[in-house]
Amino acid sequence: ITQDIYQLIGYHDNQSGSAPLDSDGRILQRSKRGWMWNQFFLLEEYAGNDHQYVGKLHSNMDKGDGTVKYVLTGDGAGTLFLIDEKSGDIHATKRLDREEKAMYTLHAKVLDRSTNAELEPDTEFNIKIHDINDNEPKFAREIYFASVPEMSEVGTSVVTVTATDADDQTYGNSAKLVYSILQGQPYFSVDSENGTIKTALPGMDREVKENYQVVIQAKDMAGQMGGLSGTTTVSITLSDVNDSPPRFANHSFRVTAVESTEIGGAIGHIKADDPDVGRNAEMEYSIVGGHDTFNIITDQTTQEGVIVIKKALDYESKRDYEFRVEVKNTYLDARFIHGLQFKDYATVRVTVEDVDEPPVFTRNPYIIEVHEDTAAGSFVGVVSARDPDADNKYSIDRHTDLERLFNIDSVNGTITTLKALDREMSKWHNISVVATEINNPRQTTRVPVFIKVLDVNDNAPEFAMSYDTFVCENVKAGQLIQTISAVDTDEPLVGHKFVFSISPTNPNFTIVDREDNTANIVTRRGGFSRREMNMYFLPVVISDNDYPIQSSTSTLIVRVCACDSRGNMQSCNPEVLPFSDGLTTGALVAILLCVIILLMIVVLFAALRRQRKKEPLIISKEDVRDNVVSYNDEGGGEEDTQAFDIGTLRNPEVMDANKLRRDIIPEMLFPFRRTSPIKDNTDVRDFINGRLQENDSDPTAPPYDSLATYAYEGSGSLAESLSSLESAATEGDQDYDYLSNWGPQFKKLAEMYIGRSVDREA
């Protein structure tokens, strides 16, 4: 305590014979200012309710009479640290934490209390906080995750966990840590100095136990009693290594396959077990020695072996198969392959099941060639389908043979022609032949048949285009006037070769074959005249070189034209020349045509005037008939309705009887036109409108229309008309007994007339 006081207080009196010493026993030297030391020490977190005494400032200028005043400035002055103005004692106002701030720098002044004048210069000093063990070790995370390969050797490092202590590392043992394992023996251990966790047990197998929880403790004070500690948990997982080979649980598998399974289709799955995981459990399946009908592939997702069809199955040919399958790991660990067989074997038996399969054509597709112009019924080709279950019948899908050019024998599949074929119309015919199982019509198979029509030289060559050829009047002999070419719709194997020729006796033109399927038309003489002949017709014979040779004659029209000196056409119309010796034949024909036309016009005009002078329908005023006749009794008379036969309306079956109007005798300028029959149940309105249109457009009809409107009575009465028109003048000659046969509807009428006739006879 005495030494601490000496460290805090600077003495000005050297006559006492005693000097303050430092911590090493050396005599302390007073500074130039000669009134204080520059450093104080204070323990952190000092316990106590009162203000903690830190130290004392004292100046040589202080005589103890109260004239000196001490002033403190700097870090925490007035808040954390207070100074007694009279005595210079320094106190801390609250507990201090070294981990927050380890040292405070302050300044002290000595002032005259009355004048505030500085008695001593400003002096800087430090208050250093001494550390105590008040912080426990802490790990960065509460839980650590680590892994180590299974079957690792003892001492294999797993992970290093490190704790930190906020106490002073340079002072005492407050921050010196020691690591220990609280949970996890005997599998793991920990290095006490650096916290490295290592394996402590050999042969740890992941397939037995995979996860471990290890608790690590870090303790300060070098692990001594009273030290503080902290813990963390480390979750350790054993990672997999390929230490387990794949094994079949059952070394014999039986698979059933339907014979209709398509090539590449799966028929079964087999699986081996491997306790490893990840790539260590990846397996590969194969057929030992291979197989021509089956193959096995590995499903990478499920690690199963999938048996697939490599060649089509046939129940009728072979029904049972057997082969051996091998499975092995794709990745091997060299540390564990010694003494272990990392593969396994199993036997697979496949049984083929029969199905009612459709017919199968021997070829797909068929390509058949046939010559054109082959007669109907000629042989084209044969298609054949095989079905081991039953017999087949053949047919042509008529949607592919709309013109019905071909036929097929339903038993043997022979295709024949129904019509002659023309290659120029169609070079190929694509039809579909259907084979149907007789016992089960739902089992069908179709195959495309491509029929190629071979060319036969059956078309003659002709001009390639329409030529507009002219020759100048002043042309000279040997002048080229046109180059012609030809086309042929046939296609010979060696190409076309055309031969052109004209009559050798033609005095005007000749032809020169250019040997390249073209020919030149050349004048044989000069001096053509439009007056003598303005147009020449030149027949050209064109022949081909195929068998049989075909030829045709095409006519080349050559016009005679007036040309300039360079041969450019100016005019091809014949000139109008004056008559010299008389009329030419052309002029006579033209005059005759004009006369004939004039005569036809006169005849037509006369006929039209005669038609306009027809008598009207109503000849005299005595004619009581009217355009519209109305009756209030039960029906009208037939004689008043001859303009339109109303009987036709009542009974459509008699519509074919055409009657002429009695009041007009038509002139038969045009032949009689029979009206079109009307179907049964035709609407009366449509019938009347149709007849009106026929009469409107009929040239033999009168120039006006008559329309009689009647109610529709039905199909007609057996009694015919009851009209009084055109009845006999006297009733004595009438016999009304037939009225009794008309039925109850006419009973009253029969009684009236039959009774009247009896009275008259009496």
Side-chain angles (χ1 to χ4, degrees), residues 444-694:
T444 62
T445 304
R446 62 178 57 234
V447 66
V449 179
F450 304 116
I451 301 175
K452 181 179 181 181
V453 182
L454 301 179
D455 186 41
V456 174
N457 191 27
D458 57 349
N459 292 278
E462 56 187 11
F463 278 156
M465 57 181 294
S466 179
Y467 295 99
D468 184 14
T469 306
F470 70 92
V471 61
C472 296
E473 288 183 311
N474 57 355
V475 71
K476 297 179 180 180
Q479 183 71 40
L480 173 66
I481 63 172
Q482 183 69 60
T483 299
I484 60 175
S485 62
V487 293
D488 193 340
T489 55
D490 295 320
E491 292 184 358
L493 297 176
V494 295
H496 291 293
K497 176 61 181 176
F498 301 127
V499 177
F500 302 87
S501 63
I502 63 174
S503 175
T505 60
N506 191 312
N508 302 310
F509 305 98
T510 185
I511 190 168
V512 179
D513 196 334
R514 301 177 60 181
E515 304 295 334
D516 60 353
N517 292 335
T518 61
N520 293 334
I521 305 298
V522 181
T523 58
R524 178 168 283 183
R525 66 179 180 88
F528 289 85
S529 174
R530 286 179 293 166
R531 180 184 303 175
E532 296 178 358
M533 182 70 70
N534 64 349
M535 187 178 298
Y536 292 89
F537 297 92
L538 181 62
V540 179
V541 179
I542 309 174
S543 304
D544 57 23
N545 64 337
D546 205 355
Y547 180 82
I549 295 177
Q550 299 287 340
S551 64
S552 66
T553 301
S554 300
T555 301
L556 183 67
I557 300 176
V558 182
R559 296 180 297 159
V560 180
C561 301
C563 303
D564 57 13
S565 60
R566 296 182 180 180
N568 298 322
M569 180 182 64
Q570 292 181 339
S571 174
C572 294
N573 296 324
E575 296 179 355
V576 180
L577 301 174
F579 296 108
S580 57
D581 298 333
L583 295 176
T584 63
T585 303
L588 291 175
V589 172
I591 294 172
L592 183 60
L593 289 175
C594 292
V595 172
I596 293 173
I597 292 172
L598 289 175
L599 289 175
M600 292 178 64
I601 292 174
V602 171
V603 172
L604 181 61
F605 182 78
L608 292 176
R609 290 182 60 85
R610 176 181 292 181
Q611 186 174 3
R612 292 179 181 177
K613 293 180 179 181
K614 291 181 182 179
E615 294 182 357
L617 181 62
I618 301 176
I619 299 175
S620 64
K621 295 182 179 180
E622 285 78 10
D623 196 335
V624 297
R625 287 174 296 178
D626 210 347
N627 285 344
V628 179
V629 182
S630 299
Y631 296 93
N632 294 325
D633 55 2
E634 191 172 357
E638 283 82 358
E639 296 300 329
D640 295 330
T641 58
Q642 289 301 316
F644 291 95
D645 187 5
I646 197 64
T648 305
L649 295 178
R650 296 194 181 101
N651 190 0
E653 296 178 356
V654 299
M655 288 188 295
D656 291 338
N658 294 281
K659 297 181 179 180
L660 299 176
R661 295 180 57 147
R662 297 181 180 180
D663 54 344
I664 292 179
I665 299 176
E667 297 179 9
M668 298 301 292
L669 295 178
F670 297 89
F672 177 73
R673 192 163 47 85
R674 184 182 182 88
T675 58
S676 60
I678 305 300
K679 296 181 180 180
D680 294 342
N681 301 325
T682 304
D683 187 69
V684 175
R685 183 188 301 274
D686 296 339
F687 172 76
I688 294 176
N689 291 333
R691 285 301 174 88
L692 285 176
Q693 292 178 3
E694 289 179 2

Side-chain angles (χ1 to χ4, degrees), residues 261-274:
T261 304
E262 297 181 355
I263 296 177
I267 62 172
H269 298 73
I270 62 174
K271 190 175 189 308
D273 297 324
D274 191 334

Side-chain angles (χ1 to χ4, degrees), residues 69 73 200 271 292 307 323 360 366 395 416 459 555 603 677 712:
K69 181 173 68 173
T73 61
K271 190 175 189 308
D292 58 349
I307 302 173
F323 50 87
V360 179
Y366 286 86
S395 62
T416 57
N459 292 278
T555 301
V603 172
Y712 181 63

Side-chain angles (χ1 to χ4, degrees), residues 43 58 95 100 118 134 320-321 327 342 370 424 453 550 557 566 631 643 660 669 722:
L43 292 176
H58 185 74
R95 296 180 180 181
E100 292 183 1
E118 291 188 2
D134 58 345
D320 296 295
Y321 297 87
V327 61
F342 275 80
V370 60
E424 285 69 39
V453 182
Q550 299 287 340
I557 300 176
R566 296 182 180 180
Y631 296 93
L660 299 176
L669 295 178
L722 297 178

